[in-house]
Amino acid sequence: MKFTKILSILSLGSLLFGAHSVMAAGDPTAGKKVAKKCAICHTLTKDGIQKLGPNLYDILDKPAGKIAGYKYSDAMLNSGLIWNATTFTDFITKPKKFVKGTKMGFRGIRKASQRADLLAYFNTLRDTPVAAGPVGNAKNGIKSATRYCADCHTFEKGGKVLYGPNLFGSYGQRAATIKGYSYSAALMNSGLVWNDVNLDSFMANPEQFVKGTIARFPGLNSAQSRADILAYIKTLK
Ligand code: HEC
Ligand code: HEC
């Protein structure tokens, strides 16, 4: 089956199920209740002590594994994550699946609404409250990837090389390592790994992020679309 066909079936699916996948903004008051589950192992107040897990005050928008005086697992230390709305939500959905080898012995929060509430609550645990970044939705990401990237990239396994490389399995990999593609020296020497932050920055403005890249793509302004495409790319493994 042609990829475009698969895409149209998938995007039909997301049209049909779109109503369910829209991410409702969370309620911080409800989130505070959910956070009781976390408080068994984490303090949530400013300068709180390290318990079984690290203090989580003001954790959003911070790199993982950086709370002084806490001994993390190697998995967390080497994760390269930044705790934004998407990574935080992915982590608390299934901690051990999202960060393989983490020592956070918590099964995860199954209900999307509770995760949204929790995120809203964590967003209040800050010195300077800011609006949370958008949470990515993989189904919407298929649509956005078709619209913004498909002229130059295929996404399915073994997909054709167009003007840009096939992007299946690129998440978590080093940049410029997909076989059968002739990259720019700029990207080959970038030393980048395609994690959340790097992918988001690249999509936002390739030229600015990797000077000399041959990706003739002006960049995608919508943070929501970038988060959605990122969520989609993460499923391609
Ligand atoms: C059973 C104990 C336990 C529970 C319950 C728990 N955690 Fe954790 N958490 C940990 C441990 C231990 C770590 C350190 C993980 C590592 O180093 O791999 C951690 C790490 C984290 C981190 C990474 C912090 C950093 O500095 O990078 C976040 C974010 C987090 N937990 C969020 C939560 C949230 C939100 C909840 C509640 C929904 C929760 N945790 C429930 C034990 C727990
Ligand atoms: C006009 C064509 C074009 C468009 C549109 C485009 N790209 Fe690219 N992309 C490229 C080219 C060409 C490269 C190779 C860049 C280089 O070697 O410097 C590239 C490289 C990449 C890479 C690095 C792959 C690797 O193997 O390291 C990623 C990731 C990527 N693009 C994602 C995207 C996403 C996501 C979109 C849509 C939001 C997009 N691109 C839109 C042409 C494009």
Side-chain angles (χ1 to χ4, degrees):
M1 185 158 37
K2 268 218 166 111
F3 184 56
T4 44
K5 217 182 221 171
I6 299 176
L7 266 184
S8 57
I9 291 168
L10 287 172
S11 27
L12 180 64
S14 64
L15 283 180
L16 292 175
F17 298 112
H20 299 279
S21 54
V22 169
M23 195 63 65
D27 167 11
T29 312
K32 189 171 182 175
K33 293 204 188 101
V34 182
K36 287 190 179 141
K37 293 187 182 175
C38 322
I40 300 168
C41 303
H42 294 284
T43 56
L44 303 177
T45 49
K46 189 170 179 159
D47 301 323
I49 56 162
Q50 318 305 332
K51 294 176 39 175
L52 195 56
N55 172 255
L56 293 181
Y57 179 80
D58 211 5
I59 196 75
L60 289 175
D61 295 325
K62 299 278 164 39
K66 290 282 198 274
I67 305 297
Y70 183 78
K71 199 169 179 327
Y72 292 92
S73 66
D74 287 345
M76 188 61 77
L77 283 176
N78 300 328
S79 67
L81 289 168
I82 306 267
W83 294 121
N84 59 26
T86 305
T87 53
F88 180 84
T89 303
D90 286 348
F91 183 58
I92 61 174
T93 306
K94 280 189 178 169
K96 299 225 180 249
K97 194 172 167 216
F98 187 62
V99 178
K100 291 208 175 60
T102 179
K103 62 174 184 174
M104 171 152 138
F106 177 67
R107 290 191 57 174
I109 295 186
R110 290 185 133 208
K111 278 197 172 166
S113 61
Q114 289 194 344
R115 296 193 297 261
D117 293 343
L118 198 60
L119 176 66
Y121 175 58
F122 268 74
N123 218 26
T124 67
L125 306 176
R126 297 181 184 254
D127 286 339
T128 12
V130 291
V135 176
N137 177 294
K139 278 186 192 153
N140 295 341
I142 296 173
K143 275 191 273 181
S144 295
T146 308
R147 180 158 169 209
Y148 298 112
C149 323
D151 281 349
C152 302
H153 294 287
T154 54
F155 290 84
E156 82 281 21
K157 191 171 188 173
K160 267 204 298 204
V161 172
L162 303 175
Y163 175 61
N166 170 258
L167 293 181
F168 183 86
S170 48
Y171 186 79
Q173 300 299 308
R174 296 197 144 277
T177 48
I178 293 165
K179 289 200 177 64
Y181 187 79
S182 173
Y183 291 95
S184 67
L187 195 59
M188 283 197 288
N189 300 329
S190 67
L192 289 170
V193 172
W194 292 123
N195 60 22
D196 289 47
V197 180
N198 290 338
L199 265 174
D200 184 68
S201 308
F202 189 72
M203 277 190 265
N205 192 335
E207 284 283 347
Q208 191 181 50
F209 189 59
V210 180
K211 284 200 182 58
T213 177
I214 53 169
R216 301 270 171 268
F217 175 59
L220 188 49
N221 276 331
S222 158
Q224 181 66 60
S225 298
R226 295 199 304 270
D228 291 344
I229 293 174
L230 180 61
Y232 169 50
I233 288 181
K234 283 180 170 178
T235 66
L236 304 173
K237 55 189 177 194

